[in-house]
Amino acid sequence: MRLLRYSINVTLDGCCHHEAGLPPDEESMAYWTAEMARADLLFGRVTYEMMQSAWRKPVTGVWPDWMGAGDVPFAEAIDQAKKHVVSSTLTEVDWNAELVRGGVGEAVRQLKEQPGEGLWVGGVTLPVALADLGLIDEYEFVVHPVVAGHGPTLLSGLRERIELELVDRHEFRSGAVVQRYKPVP
């Protein structure tokens, strides 16, 4: 069975909005590139559309000028990754994606049973639903030394507390810390 990992950048005060001042550096981009390359991606509609607008390879085949050399490997990894999109409003998806139909719990259980290395979920809303259903096997937070003071916060609206056990920790030169946890049974 594939593990489902929830991975996200977060500030010290729990903000997980992509505009909260969490600029990636070369080291964190290399880390996220490796993560994207070894799992299928599971997105809600909002995250899917946001990621597609930023990281889908243009039809010209040329990456935009705003991308630095460290961004291109990440862009290529996420562009090529298999994606599963949970949405009640979209009728079709592309960008190497398939639309998840039916109840999210049963659909994700079926995805976890398929062969492959793993599943990776990002975003804000879908992970809360998956956590409430007990479907997340690992939580991975890249905690940045920033206090945002505003924006959506990590797992806001969770129905019950989830106790976690630290299974891995890695510090980047920037001061950001990757912390990976698994739920305590």
Side-chain angles (χ1 to χ4, degrees), residues 121-139:
V121 64
V124 178
T125 306
L126 179 59
V128 172
L130 298 174
D132 278 339
L133 291 168
L135 293 173
I136 298 178
D137 302 298
E138 292 184 343
Y139 294 81

Side-chain angles (χ1 to χ4, degrees), residues 113-173:
E113 291 174 4
Q114 293 178 2
E117 245 185 280
L119 289 167
W120 181 92
V121 64
V124 178
T125 306
L126 179 59
V128 172
L130 298 174
D132 278 339
L133 291 168
L135 293 173
I136 298 178
D137 302 298
E138 292 184 343
Y139 294 81
E140 179 179 51
F141 309 123
V142 179
V143 183
H144 294 260
V146 172
V147 176
H150 68 326
T153 55
L154 187 64
L155 295 166
S156 180
L158 200 60
R159 285 190 299 215
E160 292 187 30
R161 184 176 95 154
I162 300 172
E163 289 189 47
L164 302 172
E165 173 186 351
L166 183 68
V167 294
D168 192 31
R169 181 185 185 283
H170 174 77
E171 187 171 334
F172 294 142
R173 290 183 302 276

Side-chain angles (χ1 to χ4, degrees), residues 58-73:
V59 293
T60 63
V62 178
W63 293 107
D65 291 339
W66 63 264
M67 283 190 188
D71 297 325
V72 173

Side-chain angles (χ1 to χ4, degrees), residues 6-29 32 50 55 66 71 74 123-124 140-154 172 174-177:
Y6 173 39
S7 299
I8 195 162
N9 289 302
V10 63
T11 64
L12 288 172
D13 57 342
C15 180
C16 48
H17 193 272
H18 68 282
E19 295 176 349
L22 304 175
D25 59 17
E26 185 177 312
E27 192 175 19
S28 66
M29 285 303 284
W32 286 122
M50 179 185 69
W55 301 110
W66 63 264
D71 297 325
F74 175 83
V124 178
E140 179 179 51
F141 309 123
V142 179
V143 183
H144 294 260
V146 172
V147 176
H150 68 326
T153 55
L154 187 64
F172 294 142
S174 67
V177 179

